[in-house]
């Protein structure tokens, strides 16, 4: 019997999303004789029943395209802004799944999407998830598609910034995305030969950072490149945030909202952290400092060959699992192959850079200052 697949892309867009849709769609239609329908703009399209039939013609010519032909959003089924209200639309998701007589809904996204996918799985829907994000922070998978492309873009940016830093004898701070993890900043920092790398997993001491830049100057290297993850924090800020998070965990029901608001305030204060860091370093070292924020450039454009391969591999593996009736899983990349991991094992978890990771070890061995 023909199986009916629904698919959506959710969260931040990421290079390789279209390659995954193509791999999934083409193998479903041509190899497994299934039928595929896409929902537009993530979970919002599922709620609003806005669809795009995915046929061979729609899936052709998209392998190399950035973005996602389905569109995406950060909307959550259970906390969806509708007019002036925020409503729980989980039931509507379930109804629309049934209306289309779906056998399975494939959710392509990052850590946030996996939580939403698990929520729908608990409502009795057949769900399979694919791991995409430039942040590489999805627990259970070796790597996510989008990461390799973003890593290449950030590395090239560091390469290019070297000449200005050197010519003007400046400190140049490059802010790299990655949300609360440091995979991108660490990877691009090591590959681009950054002199100092700051990541959220290692709260930094600004005195150590300043000393490293001054030491380089004294040794005749009159410039420094600092790769800083957007979520990197000083030791002081990290301690304040940790306390606030502990308070939230222990808070009674009526205190929860206040505790959440305190964390949101700290996070809002963190925006602009890189600019503050540059100003502080300039004062402390007397060296001219400049900031480059790479931002959404890292999510744009054509996916790398490695991301196209990974997305195609996981997309086609996804339909093979659906064919076997394997649901409620994340299709994780493991070495050259893949592994189906139950959603309950991955939802709500984050893959942070382990403190003994080989990239980190290598960075230290070539003399990179990690701010600690
Ligand atoms: O998750 C991908 C990501 O690019 C993060 O690195 C970044 O923190 C976030 O999305 C930015 O989100 P938005 O595009 O919604 O501003």
């Amino acid at each position: 019997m023909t199986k009916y697949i629904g698919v959506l892309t959710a969260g931040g867009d990421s290079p390789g999303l279209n390659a995954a849709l193509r791999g999934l769609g083409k193998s479903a239609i041509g190899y497994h004789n299934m039928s595929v329908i896409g929902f537009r703009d993530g979970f919002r399209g599922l709620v609003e029943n806005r669809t795009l039939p995915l046929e061979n013609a729609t899936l052709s010519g998209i392998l190399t395209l950035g973005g996602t032909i389905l569109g995406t959003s950060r909307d959550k089924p259970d906390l969806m802004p509708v007019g002036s209200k925020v409503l729980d639309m989980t039931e509507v998701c379930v109804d629309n799944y049934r209306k289309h007589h779906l056998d399975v809904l494939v959710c392509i996204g990052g850590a946030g999407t996996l939580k939403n996918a698990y929520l729908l799985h608990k409502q009795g829907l057949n769900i399979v998830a694919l791991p995409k994000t430039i942040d590489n922070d999805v627990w259970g998978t070796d790597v996510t598609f989008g990461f390799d492309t973003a890593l290449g873009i950030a590395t090239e940016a560091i390469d290019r910034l070297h000449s200005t830093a050197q010519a003007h004898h400046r400190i140049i701070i490059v802010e790299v995305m990655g949300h609360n993890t440091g995979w991108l900043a660490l990877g691009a920092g090591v590959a681009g030969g950054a002199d100092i790398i700051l990541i959220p997993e290692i709260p930094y001491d600004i005195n150590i950072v300043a000393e490293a830049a001054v030491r380089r100057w004294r040794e005749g290297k009159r410039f420094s490149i600092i790769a800083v993850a957007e979520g990197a924090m000083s030791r002081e800020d990290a301690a304040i945030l940790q306390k606030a998070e502990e308070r939230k965990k222990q808070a009674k029901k009526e205190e929860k909202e206040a505790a959440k608001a305190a964390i949101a305030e700290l996070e809002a204060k963190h925006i602009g952290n890189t600019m503050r860091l540059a100003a502080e370093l300039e004062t402390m070292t007397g060296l001219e400092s400049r900031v480059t924020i790479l931002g959404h450039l890292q999510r744009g454009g054509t996916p790398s060959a490695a991301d196209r391969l990974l997305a195609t591999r996981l997309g086609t593996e996804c339909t093979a699992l659906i064919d076997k009736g394997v649901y409620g899983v994340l299709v994780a990349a493991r070495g050259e192959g893949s592994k189906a991991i139950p959603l309950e094992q991955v939802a709500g978890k984050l893959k942070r850079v382990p403190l003994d990771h080989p990239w980190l070890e290598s960075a230290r061995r070539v003399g990179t200052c990690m701010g600690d």
Side-chain angles (χ1 to χ4, degrees):
M1 236 175 47
T2 303
K3 283 194 173 171
Y4 290 87
I5 304 179
V7 57
L8 57 82
T9 54
D13 71 317
S14 188
L17 276 171
N18 286 322
L21 288 172
R22 173 181 173 273
L24 172 116
K26 284 203 167 188
S27 62
I29 298 164
Y31 193 76
H32 296 288
N33 203 24
M34 298 170 184
S35 182
V36 192
I37 188 167
F39 291 95
R40 295 179 189 270
D41 304 333
F43 293 99
R44 182 163 288 276
L46 179 60
V47 166
E48 295 172 356
N49 198 17
R50 287 186 290 113
T51 58
L52 176 71
L54 294 182
E55 287 147 6
N56 271 323
T58 332
L59 296 164
S60 275
I62 65 169
L63 175 65
T64 59
L65 296 183
T68 157
I69 58 164
L70 288 179
T72 185
S73 73
R74 293 201 182 273
D75 289 310
K76 305 177 174 79
D78 59 336
L79 281 173
M80 192 160 294
V82 182
S84 57
K85 295 185 180 143
V86 176
L87 302 176
D88 184 348
M89 303 299 276
T90 310
E91 280 290 301
V92 183
C93 290
V94 174
D95 287 350
N96 283 336
Y97 175 100
R98 306 251 183 256
K99 213 178 269 171
H100 286 281
H101 306 288
L102 297 181
D103 292 290
V104 60
L105 175 70
V106 177
C107 301
I108 312 183
T113 302
L114 285 176
K115 270 197 224 165
N116 297 322
Y118 182 49
L119 172 97
L120 295 181
H121 166 70
K122 285 193 290 182
Q123 296 298 311
L125 305 192
N126 290 332
I127 303 283
V128 178
L130 290 180
K132 75 85 208 165
T133 164
I134 64 161
D135 302 339
N136 195 33
D137 60 355
V138 173
W139 196 89
T141 186
D142 286 356
V143 67
T144 53
F145 53 85
F147 177 65
D148 183 74
T149 309
L151 185 61
I153 295 169
T155 303
E156 194 193 332
I158 294 176
D159 290 349
R160 287 177 185 274
L161 288 165
H162 258 98
S163 46
T164 296
Q166 224 158 357
H168 284 265
H169 318 298
R170 284 175 176 162
I171 294 178
I172 290 201
I173 307 182
V174 195
E175 186 187 284
V176 179
M177 275 188 169
H179 200 217
N180 291 324
T181 62
W183 292 103
L184 258 187
L186 177 62
V190 172
D195 309 297
I196 298 163
I197 303 176
L198 307 177
I199 61 173
E201 290 84 350
I202 307 176
Y204 60 83
D205 179 335
I206 188 139
N207 297 302
I208 292 175
V209 177
E211 269 166 38
V214 170
R215 197 179 323 118
R216 280 178 54 78
W217 182 276
R218 283 205 202 103
E219 286 166 0
K221 295 171 192 157
R222 295 169 62 208
F223 74 95
S224 288
I225 298 274
I226 307 182
V228 55
E230 61 180 343
M233 275 188 195
S234 66
R235 284 182 181 161
E236 297 75 28
D237 287 352
I240 296 171
L241 185 65
Q242 196 188 340
K243 257 193 207 146
E245 267 161 5
E246 274 160 20
R247 220 172 294 136
K248 188 181 113 192
K249 254 190 232 154
Q250 289 157 7
K252 296 193 189 99
K253 214 174 166 193
E254 61 275 19
E255 298 161 354
K256 274 265 188 269
E257 284 313 309
K260 269 194 210 163
I263 292 177
E265 201 179 312
L266 287 172
E267 282 170 349
K269 239 173 95 187
H270 189 69
I271 297 169
N273 188 50
T274 308
M275 301 303 288
R276 275 193 298 278
L277 178 65
E280 280 178 61
L281 284 177
E282 195 164 279
T283 311
M284 292 171 80
T285 61
L287 302 174
E288 208 178 15
S289 305
R290 291 286 189 275
V291 170
T292 299
I293 297 179
L294 297 182
H296 294 88
L297 271 179
Q298 295 156 106
R299 299 214 309 240
T302 298
S304 66
D307 273 339
R308 292 181 213 177
L309 265 169
L310 178 63
T312 304
R313 201 152 70 68
L314 296 184
T316 53
E317 181 56 23
C318 178
T319 48
L321 289 169
I322 292 170
D323 189 48
K324 289 184 204 141
V326 179
Y327 303 126
V329 294
L330 167 75
V331 188
R334 289 292 171 90
E336 291 304 305
S338 63
K339 189 174 176 191
I341 306 181
L343 285 174
E344 61 260 35
Q345 282 180 25
V346 293
K349 288 189 192 161
L350 215 54
K351 186 180 75 175
R352 295 182 195 276
V353 177
L355 295 182
D356 60 352
H357 194 276
W359 291 358
L360 209 46
E361 291 290 322
S362 308
R364 292 191 193 279
R365 287 182 198 172
V366 295
T368 312
C369 166
M370 296 301 305
D372 59 344

